[in-house]
Amino acid sequence: MAMMDRAGVARSLEQIASYLELKGENPFRVRAFNAAAKSVQGFSGELDAGLADGTLAQLKGIGPAILQIITELVNTGRSALLEELHADVPSGLVDMLAIPGLGVAKIRQIQETLGIETLPELEDAARDGRLAALPRFGQRTAEKILKGIAFLRQASGWRLSHHAAQEAEAFREAFAKLPHILAAHTAGEVRRRCEVVRDLVTVLVADVPPEEVFRQLGTMPGVGEIAGEDERRATLRFAGGSSVQVIVTPPQNLGAVLVQATGSEQHLAALAKVAASKGFNLAGVALWQGSRFVPTPTEESLYAAIGLPWIPPELRESGDEVGQPVPTLLERGDLRGFLHCHTSASDGTNTIPQIVEACQAAGYQYVGITDHSRAAAYAGGLSVERIQEQWTHIDAINATLKNFRILKGIESDILVDGALDYPDDVLAGFDFIIGSIHSRFNLSREEMTERVCRAMDSKYLTILGHPTGRLLLSREPYPIDLDQVLDKAAATGVAIEINADPHRLDLDWRMLAAARKRGITISIGADAHNLAGLANVEFGVGIARKGGLGPSAILNCRDVDGFLEFGRRRRVSS
DNA sequence: GCCGTTTTCGGCCCGACTGTTTTCAGTCG
């Protein structure tokens, strides 16, 4: 069995790159490690199998040296090079790389002139003026760094949803195999499909008392500590630093315990209120009617007992959902089109035929290819000539396909003045266009709003991509008046994207109700850069569900003609 | 460190903005 998974290997390679960069190594060697990390991330298969059959060695950017390191990581979970670098370079310097405005050169300057090697030291220096006094630094730089540190501090302790979901599932599987465990359920924020997660929670159904279960857990490999919180709850801490809260219940009380463990607090408070109004008590982890224990073997039985329909976990947030009719929610199988996908023509890894094959296998009826536009030079944005080539290529493949269609799309930069990135006669040749902001994030709120609204005035724009530009836990959204943007989308008939990249999940689910109230159509865009990116869609579906959206709200639930008609209507009417 | 209808060595992505300077290095996407 592999000692480290794909994400872990990719992270280790990125760490090596960061360390090498901070050591002042050859920048191309640094880039090689970063490129290899990306390649591994996009590898659609098990790493140990890929090592065995040689497919991993054939990946672009993986040569003999890095293959050796990957082998070591997969087989042992460790890398001698990484450990050597870790001992050599203060890890605080790596943390500093995550601060916007700080690159290697400035970090090394800070280290060499001020002797600073940790974030708290850096914060002190930014506060007391030592930082601003350095050559090529100033007051504004110091302020920007303070802001960056504050953001990092707030982000620490949280993890991205895809990492959390993977970790939670690994725990769940391991627990489910233990003796006397009848079932294991993931609860908490992961089950509610929150975009970022602080705590992992697992509910174990057991036919022995909790203390017996905890005794078993203590003997699992890697468990460092068990901290009991009460007779049925404990937090397991592992040697690697991860932790999970475990709640043990007998079968007849699973419903109440699972609801409690899933949250949110506001949802539970609203439930307790309803329960009280019906003569029940739901203050603890069981349902009581006076002094009588009411068995709730399932969540459905709990909700039913207090006169409510079962509420899907994604909706259990503000408490307002309690007492409301439960909407039909989107499911992955409702999606007919796979949208927002980059190929090797720009910054993706796969060719159109490879993407088509994967989309067909996943059950889609069409795929919208959207490489970067020409202004995104760093990402290999397509010139007008290269677009023509891609169209010819797509026409040729489409001619060979049955019951599947490739759509000619583009992720066009929205330029600083709000224009799309090609002249109208080129724009007119696309089947659909996603417009996104990738540069000049530092406009004022008014300017940014104006810029995006102007882009929506183009009759060629079909979908507004990742509307706030946020990168979860690493970059704040750019300033923008979303209410005004939504008004404009409603007025112009432009769809708004839920970008399903787990680093973005943008538009935020909290805004979806407001979007739907205005009648805005929502598009789920994978923002895939490789075949592994097909899995992003599931996260986008989770966000749509949290926003209470069903298939009728979603652009790519339409068949290909319906999808094309959506964009065409804008072009003829304006 | 990786790559090669091309060369097993010598390249490797680049243009614009920012904050600092007073002409430009560093950062970013």
Side-chain angles (χ1 to χ4, degrees), chain A residues 210 214 229-234 246-250 253 257 285-286:
Chain A
F214 294 141
E229 275 150 43
D230 55 39
E231 66 276 11
R232 69 189 87 216
R233 286 191 306 166
V246 176
I247 305 171
V248 181
T249 179
N253 200 32
V257 168
V285 288

Side-chain angles (χ1 to χ4, degrees), chain A residues 411-443:
Chain A
E411 184 183 15
S412 169
D413 268 39
I414 295 174
L415 305 180
V416 70
D417 63 354
L420 298 179
D421 201 9
Y422 298 104
D424 279 2
D425 62 320
V426 178
L427 295 176
F430 289 106
D431 290 321
F432 75 106
I433 293 173
I434 301 175
S436 305
I437 286 183
H438 290 124
S439 60
R440 299 295 305 269
F441 296 110
N442 59 335
L443 302 186

Side-chain angles (χ1 to χ4, degrees), chain A residues 106-370:
Chain A
K106 287 205 154 128
I107 292 172
R108 296 183 69 193
Q109 186 187 356
I110 291 167
Q111 184 197 17
E112 279 160 20
T113 57
L114 299 176
I116 284 173
E117 296 187 340
T118 69
L119 287 184
E121 289 168 358
L122 179 64
E123 191 172 18
D124 286 344
R127 284 242 164 76
D128 66 23
R130 277 177 292 153
L131 202 58
L134 291 184
R136 296 212 149 268
F137 282 69
Q139 201 47 50
R140 299 177 82 144
T141 309
E143 278 163 23
K144 201 172 159 190
I145 287 172
L146 279 178
K147 262 174 116 174
I149 293 174
F151 185 80
L152 279 187
R153 177 167 307 127
Q154 175 244 311
S156 81
W158 292 88
R159 63 198 112 187
L160 295 173
S161 56
H162 62 311
H163 295 147
Q166 202 177 17
E167 226 180 311
E169 179 55 17
F171 282 131
R172 199 197 62 77
E173 270 179 20
F175 294 152
K177 287 185 193 138
L178 295 174
H180 299 295
I181 301 301
L182 308 176
H185 301 274
T186 296
E189 294 152 327
V190 172
R191 184 158 181 249
R192 299 206 313 276
R193 300 177 78 167
C194 296
E195 71 275 23
V196 291
V197 171
R198 186 181 278 279
D199 299 310
L200 301 182
V201 185
T202 307
V203 172
L204 301 183
V205 186
D207 59 5
V208 292
E211 62 264 28
E212 176 61 31
V213 175
F214 294 141
R215 195 165 27 242
Q216 275 185 28
L217 292 175
T219 66
M220 285 180 75
V223 173
E225 182 200 357
I226 296 194
E229 275 150 43
D230 55 39
E231 66 276 11
R232 69 189 87 216
R233 286 191 306 166
T235 298
L236 259 69
R237 286 181 227 289
F238 288 79
S242 59
S243 69
V244 57
Q245 190 182 86
V246 176
I247 305 171
V248 181
T249 179
Q252 69 270 23
N253 200 32
L254 172 62
V257 168
L258 194 51
V259 166
Q260 165 93 25
T262 299
S264 68
E265 268 176 49
Q266 293 94 311
H267 180 79
L268 297 176
L271 285 188
K273 220 166 160 187
V274 172
S277 76
K278 306 258 162 129
F280 290 90
N281 181 4
L282 188 61
V285 288
L287 187 65
W288 299 86
Q289 193 166 32
S291 61
R292 183 178 74 88
F293 167 79
V294 181
T296 56
T298 63
E299 283 193 338
E300 285 82 351
S301 60
L302 171 73
Y303 283 94
I306 58 175
L308 291 173
W310 179 76
I311 299 175
E314 295 93 333
L315 295 178
R316 302 178 196 170
E317 289 290 343
S318 70
D320 295 341
E321 66 281 356
V322 173
Q324 295 293 316
V326 176
T328 303
L329 297 183
L330 179 72
E331 294 183 25
R332 157 65 187 86
D334 297 325
L335 290 169
R336 302 197 203 180
F338 181 78
L339 299 181
H340 198 156
C341 145
H342 298 269
T343 77
S344 51
S346 64
D347 61 348
T349 20
N350 297 97
T351 63
I352 293 177
Q354 289 172 328
I355 293 164
V356 167
E357 195 190 333
C359 284
Q360 284 178 314
Y364 294 105
Q365 295 171 10
Y366 56 100
V367 59
I369 299 291
T370 53

Side-chain angles (χ1 to χ4, degrees), chain A residues 355-399:
Chain A
I355 293 164
V356 167
E357 195 190 333
C359 284
Q360 284 178 314
Y364 294 105
Q365 295 171 10
Y366 56 100
V367 59
I369 299 291
T370 53
D371 274 311
H372 283 288
S373 65
R374 58 186 178 180
Y378 60 91
L382 269 57
S383 65
V384 173
E385 293 70 32
R386 294 183 62 214
I387 284 168
Q388 306 283 0
E389 279 170 35
Q390 188 175 68
W391 288 349
T392 310
H393 188 202
I394 289 176
D395 286 336
I397 304 172
N398 267 334

